[in-house]
């Protein structure tokens, strides 16, 4: 039965029936665009933790990390841990985004700069999430192909996953995504750690693993190869710059009832993912001993190979439940990406430029149609990517294209729309230029050895070039162009310094509801054009605690290997 038993198929179909039912059932709560695209701000801390975990975690992550660890050693953990040093900042970001009182991140760029910059972000954001939908499904389909010994080819599993999450996501919007992500998140955590005792027993524990891995560099957290210290630093900085411009992050921060729900949800969900990354990395490390000499796309299948070979001996139907959890983790990311990107298209392109002043139900329908189209394009992209790590590299780069101008616009009042255009176009131009084969050939001939890896420019140096370009052009062009009006800036910062009250209703971007008094305009630095809020005690205590957790995780992995 395509490599699976009757118990496996029963577990798979039962799981997807439940998920589809929950998602469609939630559709009855959709009354307006805010309900569909932002879940109506009705979720608590635990639900938000698993939503952030689910939206930011997929089987693709497990596939990518285990594949990279198989080829690079334990330093491949940084393929997901590149976000590790960003995690403490996640405690600080949610109040900022929630206080904007926006429906999409495009609303921020439109209000802070101009409608044109808002449209530019909408286009970049839709492309970014469409790419990620494709990459995520590519990773999961590779694992399913390995689990079934090739009986279920990649295109079949991709189409099946797409139909399911389109069904409940199009019906119930972000609220359906959050509820189903809660269920799917629990399964993802469970199966992330279930394989570990099985593979450790097979290789003879960590001591046996050391004996079977002859190259000592494979057991170094920072190795001299591709993933060196500079790589880790640059990719962490790139991630921090770009995280706020990932369209779905707004939902992670703002779908909760309060600012604290957003803080706990975003930070807790991502810390949970960092713990799961440890399990994926050690699974990939054990695969080096269990499946030597894999090459090419075979390395994407190591996670699935281990599940196929070791889970059936534990209990009947467990492999089917594992596949359900894997597919669930994919859908829990793709549904959030689908809704967020359709919100950008509907709110910041369709409603802004093409069809105005229609009833809310009209725009909800458009959002549903856009969701389907975006997923279809993502599927087409999935079939063009050579492997999962390469797909992740493209996503890492795209996410930061408008990051520099977001931070400049937030903290520097002098930033202008012209600076925003120059920063974004300049960053993208440098990314495209440095990706061309002609440039790669020139780089090999003319650049120093430390900037190259396997006859091409290192990803870390490519990111250094386009991030430097983005910040530099944003500053220089803003200095020589007309400033944004003080009236518009004051409206924005009045909202950013005013905490959101529980039960506060959404009216319009950067608009305080009636009866809400503006908060105290208390800045950290006494410069007119610098707008860095004075940190709260709650913010600083949480920031320090999370740094302690991050350092403890690194120390733990280092001690084990």
């Amino acid at each position: 039965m395509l490599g699976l038993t009757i118990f496996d198929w029963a577990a798979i179909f039962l799981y997807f029936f439940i998920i589809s039912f929950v998602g469609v059932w939630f559709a009855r709560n959709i009354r307006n665009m805010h309900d569909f695209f932002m879940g109506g701000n009705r979720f608590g801390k635990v639900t938000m933790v698993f939503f952030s975990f689910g939206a930011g975690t997929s089987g693709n992550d497990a596939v990518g990390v285990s594949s990279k660890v198989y080829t690079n050693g334990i330093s491949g953990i940084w393929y997901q841990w590149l976000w590790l040093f960003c995690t403490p900042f996640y405690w600080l970001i949610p109040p900022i985004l929630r206080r904007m009182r926006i429906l999409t991140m495009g609303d921020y760029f439109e209000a802070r700069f101009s409608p044109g910059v808002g449209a530019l972000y909408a286009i970049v954001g839709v492309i970014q999430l469409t790419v990620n939908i494709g990459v995520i499904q590519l990773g999961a389909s590779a694992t399913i192909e390995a689990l079934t010994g090739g009986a279920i080819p990649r295109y079949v599993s991709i189409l099946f996953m797409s139909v399911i999450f389109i069904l409940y996501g199009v019906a119930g919007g972000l609220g359906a995504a959050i509820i189903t992500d809660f269920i799917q998140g629990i399964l993802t955590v469970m199966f992330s750690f279930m394989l570990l005792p099985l593979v450790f027993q097979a290789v003879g524990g960590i001591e046996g693993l050391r004996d079977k891995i002859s190259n000592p560099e494979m057991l170094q957290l920072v190795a001299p190869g591709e993933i060196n210290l500079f790589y880790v630093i640059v990719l962490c900085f790139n991630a921090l710059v770009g995280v706020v411009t990932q369209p779905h992050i707004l939902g992670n921060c703002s779908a909760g009832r309060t600012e604290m729900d957003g803080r706990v949800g975003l930070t807790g969900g991502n810390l949970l993912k960092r713990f799961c990354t440890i399990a994926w990395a050690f699974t990939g490390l054990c695969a080096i001993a269990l499946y030597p000499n894999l090459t090419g796309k075979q390395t994407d299948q190591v996670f699935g190979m281990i599940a196929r070979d070791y889970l059936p001996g534990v209990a009947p139907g467990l492999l089917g439940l594992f596949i359900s959890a894997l597919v669930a983790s994919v859908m829990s990311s793709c549904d959030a990406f689908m809704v967020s990107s359709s919100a950008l298209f509907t709110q910041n392109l369709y409603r802004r430029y093409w069809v105005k002043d229609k009833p809310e139900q009209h725009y909800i329908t458009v959002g549903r149609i856009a969701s389907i189209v975006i997923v279809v394009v993502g599927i087409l992209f999935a079939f063009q990517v050579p492997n999962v790590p390469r797909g992740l590299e493209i996503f890492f780069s795209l996410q930061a294209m408008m990051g520099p101008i977001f931070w400049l616009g937030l903290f520097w009042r002098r930033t202008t729309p012209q600076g925003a255009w120059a920063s974004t176009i300049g960053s993208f131009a440098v990314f495209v230029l440095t990706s061309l084969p002609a440039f790669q050939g020139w780089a090999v001939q003319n650049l120093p050895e430390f900037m190259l890896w396997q006859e091409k420019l290192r990803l870390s140096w490519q990111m250094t070039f386009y991030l430097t370009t983005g910040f530099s052009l944003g500053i220089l062009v803003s200095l020589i162009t007309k400033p944004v009006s003080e009236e518009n800036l004051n409206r924005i910062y009045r909202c950013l310094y005013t905490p959101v009250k529980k039960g506060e209703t959404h009216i319009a971007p950067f608009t305080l509801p009636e009866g809400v008094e503006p908060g105290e305009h208390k800045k950290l630095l006494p410069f007119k054009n610098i707008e860095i809020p004075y940190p709260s005690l709650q913010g600083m205590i949480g920031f320090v605690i999370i740094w302690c957790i991050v350092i403890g995780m690194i120390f733990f992995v280092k001690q084990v290997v």
Side-chain angles (χ1 to χ4, degrees), residues 99-333:
R99 293 177 189 186
M100 291 179 180
R101 297 161 170 89
I102 54 180
L103 191 62
T104 72
M105 285 304 302
D107 291 341
Y108 162 75
F109 286 96
E110 180 173 325
R112 175 60 180 85
F113 298 109
S114 68
V117 176
L120 174 66
Y121 172 78
I123 293 170
V124 172
V126 169
I127 293 173
Q128 177 192 143
L129 290 188
T130 301
V131 166
N132 210 18
I133 287 173
V135 173
I136 285 173
Q137 295 200 83
L138 176 68
S141 64
T143 304
I144 293 172
E145 189 175 55
L147 286 168
T148 60
I152 301 180
R154 297 188 181 195
Y155 72 89
V156 172
S157 53
I158 286 176
L159 293 175
F160 176 76
M161 289 184 288
S162 300
V163 169
I164 297 296
F165 75 76
I166 285 176
L167 176 64
Y168 71 74
V170 166
L174 192 69
I178 292 173
I179 295 298
T180 53
D181 285 2
F182 178 79
I183 303 169
Q184 293 166 171
I186 295 172
L187 276 179
T188 303
V189 173
M190 183 173 68
F191 277 98
S192 292
F193 288 93
M194 182 174 287
L195 292 175
L196 268 185
L198 303 176
V199 292
F200 270 133
Q201 183 180 18
V203 300
I206 195 68
E207 292 298 333
L209 188 60
R210 287 199 195 98
D211 293 338
K212 291 179 175 64
I213 296 178
S214 56
N215 184 357
E217 291 181 359
M218 299 291 278
L219 295 174
Q220 294 179 15
L221 261 181
V222 179
E226 179 187 10
I227 305 178
N228 54 23
L229 182 60
F230 184 71
Y231 178 101
V232 173
I233 292 172
V234 172
L235 264 74
C236 286
F237 181 70
N238 180 85
L240 184 59
V241 168
V243 66
V244 286
T245 54
Q246 293 184 52
H248 68 283
I249 289 296
L250 178 64
N252 293 158
C253 297
S254 302
R257 295 185 297 251
T258 65
E259 292 179 7
M260 180 56 77
D261 291 333
R263 280 192 198 266
V264 173
L266 184 65
T267 310
N270 281 278
L271 280 176
L272 189 56
K273 180 176 180 178
R274 310 300 174 240
F275 282 111
C276 289
T277 303
I278 297 175
W280 306 332
F282 280 113
T283 302
L285 205 60
C286 292
I288 299 173
L290 296 172
Y291 309 102
N293 305 319
L294 297 181
T295 59
K297 288 188 177 181
Q298 289 178 318
T299 62
D300 283 351
Q301 299 181 354
V302 295
F303 198 74
M305 289 177 179
I306 288 175
R308 178 196 65 202
D309 294 341
Y310 291 93
L311 284 180
V314 178
L318 200 56
L319 185 59
L321 198 56
F322 177 84
I323 293 176
S324 299
L326 174 69
V327 176
S329 70
V330 172
M331 298 193 307
S332 65
S333 297

Side-chain angles (χ1 to χ4, degrees), residues 33 55 60 63 68 70 73 130 132 153 171 201-202 207 229 245 383 395-396 401 421 434 469 478 508 534 545-546 549:
M33 289 180 67
N60 171 67
V63 170
K68 204 66 178 176
Y70 183 90
T130 301
N132 210 18
Q201 183 180 18
E207 292 298 333
L229 182 60
T245 54
F383 293 119
F395 171 67
F396 293 157
M401 289 298 120
W421 279 99
T434 53
T469 301
S478 292
Y534 194 86
I545 290 174
I546 297 160
I549 296 173

Side-chain angles (χ1 to χ4, degrees), residues 19 36 161 191 204 234 267 269 293 311 328 344 446 470 487 541 543:
I19 286 296
F36 186 76
M161 289 184 288
F191 277 98
V234 172
T267 310
N293 305 319
L311 284 180
L344 280 175
N446 296 278
E487 180 183 358
I541 291 175
F543 188 70

Side-chain angles (χ1 to χ4, degrees), residues 514-554:
E514 187 176 350
V516 175
E517 293 295 323
E520 181 183 3
H521 197 126
K522 190 176 182 181
K523 301 197 301 182
L524 182 63
L525 301 174
F527 302 111
K528 177 185 175 183
N529 285 327
I530 302 298
E531 289 285 352
I532 302 178
Y534 194 86
S536 66
L537 181 62
Q538 182 186 78
M540 287 299 95
I541 291 175
F543 188 70
V544 171
I545 290 174
I546 297 160
W547 267 117
C548 293
I549 296 173
V550 166
I551 294 169
M553 292 172 68
I554 297 173

